[in-house]
Every structure is written in structure tokens, then in C-alpha cells.
Amino acid sequence: MIEFSKIYIETGVAPKFDPIGVYNNFNHNRIHHSKSMMKLKNEIRKYLMIDETW
Amino acid sequence: MIDLIRDNINWIKDFATLIFVGTATVIGVLAYRRAKATILQPIRTEVIKKQSELLSRLLQFLKENFKSFEAGNEYVTVVHVNVLKTLEDYGYIFKGQDQIFEKLEKEIVGWIPCGNSEILHNVEIIGTFDKKDKFEDSKDFDKNKFENLKNGEIDIEKIYQTRTMTRFMSKLGDYSEDPFMPSLIKSTLDELLNDVNINLNKILKIELRNL
């Protein structure tokens, strides 16, 4: 909103933008869940003793 | 030899008694533990059965939902919805917005308050029996926000939630709160939920602010 409003208030014209650009920045900065996901899967597999040989 | 035994008979007797009592105690403790395990075994079996079913369902749920979530498909929708709704909240009107918002409204199921102020400015609480025919227009609030924006004051107060995201989070929360969920797996689930909340309430908020 800071960048968008600055340009709009200064020039009176709304800047062109794409929400995908915002998403790209967000995706770059966000916490990714792959590690937690793998940890969770492994814990479940271990708990259920899926890989144990009987 | 016999003389030696006769001389030490008391000592040998005491030692033999000690060994006997010690062995009996160990056997008693082991027998108690075994008996306890045998008595509790049916309960344990039932709990393990329920946990196995629960964890199998959780694995299946993660398999069906998590790929699109982690790959970003759901985050794309969340970001898209929030960018457009935040612009609207600040009073910006853009071309074809009625059609766009008509589509978005079907996706949005609510919002999370995340502003710096403790007051929700555009939420009006009325008394239970107080009938009011006309409420203050929320556009006035948007105008105030826009005026503040001109002065460089900005506070993202809401993160809009999409249907799929809310369903996913709610389901994960249900799994985490299930009384049969093992504590180790529950803590990992909570960690995951916490990460998603940080992504939405902090990181997305910063991105919307900097937009």
C-alpha cells in the first residue's frame, strides 16, 4: 500500500501492478512447510512402525 | 572343609538369606509389572487401534491437501484476495471491480484481525435488544483510512481468509486437538499451524503494507 499510494497520490494515476508480483515476494519471504511436513510424515511412520520388519 | 563351614556357618546363612530375599524381591517386582501390563493390555490395544486409525487419516489428509498448499496454489489465492480487498478497504476503486469482488466474495469466509490498534474500527457492536434502523456507513471509515494513508499512516487491520485455507487449518487444528493424538506428533502439528499463522499474520501483512 505504501508504494501504490505514494505513486497514486503523487501522480494521480494508479500504478499498474499484478497480485502475482506480491505473491512472488511473499513466497520468497514466507516460512516454507516442506521440512515440517517431512518431519510430521516421518514421525507418523515411525509411530505406526510402518518400516519395521516383523 | 567341614570345620571351615562350621566356623563360618552364621555368615554363610546370612548371605544365603540375603540372596534369597533379593531374588524374591526382583521376581516379585517383575511379576507385578508383567501382571499390570497384562491387565492394561486390552486398554492399550484399544488406544493403539484408535491412534492408528487417526494417524492413517491424517497421513491421507496431508497427502490429498498439502501438495497444493506447499506448492503455493492456495497461498496464491490468499494473496490475490488480500491484495484486492486491502485496496478496496483503502477506498481504491478499479475497473470491473463488481465482477471481481463477486467472484472473490465466494472464496472469502472471514478475516483475522491483525492491526496494531486494539480497536476494530469498522466493527460496530450494538446491544442485543437495541434495534437500530440505520448503521454508520463503513465507507466513512474507509475515507478516514485513505486520509491517513495520504499522511503515510498505514495499518493493515485484516487478513482475509479463503474457504480452502480455513478448511485446511481447521482440519489440522481438529487433528491436533484430538485426545488420541500422540504428544510428539501434536507438537509438530502445532508447529506447522503456527508457521501458517506467521505467514498470514506477519509476513503477508508486511507484503501488503509494502505493496
Side-chain angles (χ1 to χ4, degrees):
Chain A
M1 291 304 300
I2 291 173
E3 281 298 308
F4 186 91
S5 301
K6 196 178 165 192
I7 297 170
Y8 180 76
I9 290 163
E10 279 174 8
T11 63
V13 180
K16 286 184 178 175
F17 79 101
D18 192 339
I20 292 298
V22 183
Y23 168 73
N24 286 338
N25 285 342
F26 168 74
N27 197 40
H28 182 70
N29 294 325
R30 78 176 167 96
I31 301 169
H32 289 262
H33 308 302
S34 315
K35 278 186 185 170
S36 308
M37 177 63 183
M38 282 310 293
K39 189 178 162 193
L40 187 62
K41 272 185 179 174
N42 287 337
E43 278 170 2
I44 296 174
R45 291 179 68 88
K46 203 172 167 186
Y47 197 87
L48 293 176
M49 294 191 280
I50 289 173
D51 296 321
E52 293 283 323
T53 47
W54 301 90
Chain B
M1 182 68 182
I2 291 171
D3 288 341
L4 184 72
I5 292 171
R6 192 184 298 137
D7 292 344
N8 293 295
I9 190 69
N10 286 336
W11 183 85
I12 291 169
K13 195 177 77 182
D14 290 347
F15 186 70
T17 308
L18 199 67
I19 288 177
F20 177 75
V21 171
T23 310
T25 307
V26 170
I27 290 172
V29 169
L30 290 176
Y32 169 75
R33 286 175 60 179
R34 185 69 206 150
K36 192 177 159 193
T38 309
I39 290 165
L40 294 178
Q41 192 57 39
I43 300 172
R44 184 71 196 135
T45 307
E46 198 58 33
V47 170
I48 288 174
K49 193 178 155 194
K50 283 194 182 295
Q51 283 182 329
S52 301
E53 285 167 7
L54 178 70
L55 293 176
S56 302
R57 283 205 310 274
L58 175 58
L59 266 182
Q60 188 65 24
F61 171 74
L62 292 173
K63 185 188 151 204
E64 285 167 6
N65 294 276
F66 206 84
K67 198 178 259 181
S68 68
F69 197 83
E70 177 50 30
N73 294 348
E74 192 44 39
Y75 275 131
V76 171
T77 315
V78 171
V79 172
H80 189 85
V81 162
N82 275 284
V83 167
L84 297 180
K85 286 296 285 181
T86 304
L87 285 170
E88 192 203 23
D89 286 347
Y90 273 89
Y92 287 107
I93 298 168
F94 36 93
K95 209 175 166 184
Q97 76 167 29
D98 288 344
Q99 288 96 324
I100 295 169
F101 283 118
E102 200 180 324
K103 280 183 192 169
L104 289 186
E105 293 299 337
K106 288 176 189 166
E107 267 296 317
I108 298 169
V109 287
W111 47 270
I112 315 167
C114 63
N116 296 329
S117 165
E118 290 179 358
I119 303 165
L120 296 171
H121 294 286
N122 60 345
V123 175
E124 188 178 3
I125 298 170
I126 57 168
T128 317
F129 300 107
D130 182 15
K131 285 188 179 174
K132 213 174 177 183
D133 294 332
K134 201 176 175 186
F135 297 107
E136 281 180 34
D137 194 351
S138 66
K139 293 288 174 199
D140 290 341
F141 172 67
D142 294 344
K143 274 181 196 167
N144 286 338
K145 284 176 82 172
F146 186 69
E147 288 304 317
N148 289 338
L149 188 63
K150 281 184 187 172
N151 299 325
E153 293 170 23
I154 181 167
D155 183 22
I156 305 294
E157 294 186 303
K158 298 175 185 172
I159 295 295
Y160 290 89
Q161 291 184 301
T162 61
R163 195 173 300 279
T164 318
M165 172 76 86
T166 307
R167 200 182 298 138
F168 180 80
M169 296 280 283
S170 160
K171 196 85 180 155
L172 272 191
D174 287 348
Y175 277 115
S176 168
E177 293 305 320
D178 195 296
F180 287 101
M181 184 58 70
S183 53
L184 181 71
I185 296 168
K186 177 182 162 49
S187 69
T188 312
L189 268 176
D190 289 342
E191 203 178 289
L192 189 62
L193 278 167
N194 193 39
D195 286 350
V196 177
N197 277 325
I198 291 172
N199 279 344
L200 295 179
N201 295 342
K202 291 193 177 164
I203 296 170
L204 180 57
K205 186 181 168 183
I206 293 168
E207 293 304 328
L208 290 172
R209 194 174 184 280
N210 294 340
L211 163 68

